[in-house]
Amino acid sequence: SLASAGNEIITLEVCPKGTSCTKNKGNWVLYVFDSDLLTKEMEERTYEFRRWLNETGSSIDNSGQQIISGLANPSHSNHMYLAYNAGFFEGALIGVVDPCFGESNSVDIGVGDGARNYLIAISSPLKGDAGGESCGQGSVVLEKPALPANGHKASTTDENGNEIPGEVKSYPTTEEYILVSPNSDDQYAIKITGTGLNPLASGDAIANSATFDGNSGKLMLPKVRVNDQVYQATLEQQTHKARSTDDTLKFILADIQALSVEEVVDAYRATYNPENQQVLIPRVTDTSNGIGYSVILQFHAATNNGQAYFEVISATEIQ
């Protein structure tokens, strides 16, 4: 989520020069949405994959009986590039970096008067059916042979006009599917440059930020996302003695409470990444002087010699 106070130009660049994914920058698609225009219906909509009999082009055999459901396996997908190509986000999508078309890896967003909030998403691209190595060319909904289905031939009538059921027949079928291409397990990077006020210096960011009280040593996280659940957490700073000889700030978890669904949406909430076991906190405000920092905490699991703790590995002052 990216907040803007208005009257600025925001540039978003995917895999900028100097990042680990620069050489494979064509592996990621970036989308920018106006949060006021993106609806729940758009977010929850899925694409339905079809399956049909090659001979009839439907789920019905030559005898007139439906012998398959008409849905492929898997039957649905909410892949973002598929939804984007299907037009599901029309009206809310205001910018995209699509490596399947053109060489640019950045997009500019012009922000007019008044505050705005944008949602940024990223996905893999999908293979197109136009051939070649390029992604996204043609339709991204591909077709492939599926399991045959047993049905019947069309019925006939004898010389007396009696109907004779058709013989059993195996019908080849075709189904739709998608294929991620190019496929990458590299981390992606997004560089955001704005000409206006840093969103993390805004009043909303300050009001919703985490706080650190140097006197009590408590780090309060109003909201932190862990997988699909959001919590309120309190961390307490370890004493210098417990921290050994280095000067790194370390914290232990003192309290954590799950929040209800109504309380989870917050552009400034912290996020725990289970892949690298890091907590990204967009803004921590020092209560003694009001200075804000963007902070990354590294989680260390408990050992036989000590309890689990979080270590500050990055703290960048918000200008």
Side-chain angles (χ1 to χ4, degrees):
S1 181
L2 177 63
S4 171
N7 291 317
E8 68 169 327
I9 297 174
I10 300 173
T11 300
L12 298 101
E13 187 176 3
V14 186
C15 295
K17 185 176 180 180
T19 60
S20 61
C21 63
T22 299
K23 66 182 188 306
N24 295 321
K25 64 183 180 181
N27 294 354
W28 302 109
V29 185
L30 178 137
Y31 316 81
V32 185
F33 301 95
D34 186 323
S35 65
D36 291 334
L37 301 178
L38 186 67
T39 66
K40 184 177 181 181
E41 180 184 11
M42 291 178 184
E43 292 189 81
E44 294 182 348
R45 190 173 176 183
T46 61
Y47 186 93
E48 193 172 87
F49 295 126
R50 299 180 303 116
R51 178 183 173 216
W52 61 90
L53 309 182
N54 296 353
E55 191 168 329
T56 66
S58 70
S59 59
I60 298 173
D61 67 8
N62 287 327
S63 72
Q65 300 298 312
Q66 181 172 336
I67 62 173
I68 60 174
S69 68
L71 294 178
N73 183 24
S75 60
H76 299 79
S77 174
N78 64 349
H79 192 286
M80 188 161 283
Y81 195 74
L82 174 61
Y84 155 59
N85 274 266
F88 291 176
F89 303 129
E90 189 171 340
L93 183 67
I94 62 172
V96 63
V97 176
D98 187 348
C100 304
F101 299 91
E103 298 296 325
S104 176
N105 66 327
S106 66
V107 61
D108 293 332
I109 305 297
V111 186
D113 293 335
R116 298 284 195 282
N117 189 57
Y118 299 106
L119 300 175
I120 303 168
I122 197 158
S123 81
S124 56
L126 296 175
K127 181 73 173 177
D129 66 359
E133 296 300 320
S134 178
C135 63
Q137 304 292 334
S139 173
V140 298
V141 179
L142 308 178
E143 298 177 6
K144 65 180 180 180
L147 294 174
N150 289 327
H152 292 82
K153 297 180 179 179
S155 60
T156 58
T157 56
D158 62 17
E159 58 186 13
N160 298 318
N162 298 315
E163 183 177 357
I164 302 174
E167 298 176 359
V168 174
K169 179 180 178 178
S170 178
Y171 288 84
T173 71
T174 298
E175 66 181 7
E176 296 176 325
Y177 74 106
I178 55 175
L179 177 66
V180 172
S181 178
N183 188 22
S184 173
D185 58 2
D186 289 341
Q187 283 191 322
Y188 59 83
I190 305 173
K191 180 182 179 182
I192 302 174
T193 307
T195 59
L197 177 69
N198 188 328
L200 293 176
S202 68
D204 283 345
I206 295 172
N208 291 281
S209 74
T211 58
F212 174 65
D213 185 337
N215 293 323
S216 65
K218 288 187 177 181
L219 176 60
M220 307 288 293
L221 304 181
K223 296 181 179 69
V224 54
R225 180 179 177 181
V226 181
N227 295 324
D228 294 326
Q229 180 63 55
V230 177
Y231 301 88
Q232 181 182 77
T234 301
L235 306 180
E236 290 186 352
Q237 184 181 350
Q238 290 182 328
T239 63
H240 184 77
K241 182 178 180 180
R243 290 193 282 123
S244 71
T245 58
D246 63 52
D247 293 325
T248 306
L249 288 177
K250 297 180 181 178
F251 296 86
I252 59 172
L253 181 64
D255 182 64
I256 188 167
Q257 299 177 22
L259 299 178
S260 66
V261 175
E262 289 76 14
E263 298 175 296
V264 302
V265 179
D266 187 338
Y268 306 102
R269 69 187 176 194
T271 303
Y272 173 72
N273 182 353
E275 296 295 326
N276 56 16
Q277 297 189 307
Q278 291 179 354
V279 181
L280 268 62
I281 312 176
R283 181 184 174 105
V284 176
T285 302
D286 188 330
T287 57
S288 66
N289 54 27
I291 297 176
Y293 300 86
S294 292
V295 176
I296 300 177
L297 303 178
Q298 179 69 56
F299 175 70
H300 297 273
T303 65
N304 293 333
N305 297 324
Q307 63 189 135
Y309 65 94
F310 294 87
E311 177 186 11
V312 178
I313 61 172
S314 175
T316 304
E317 183 176 346
I318 296 169
Q319 302 290 339

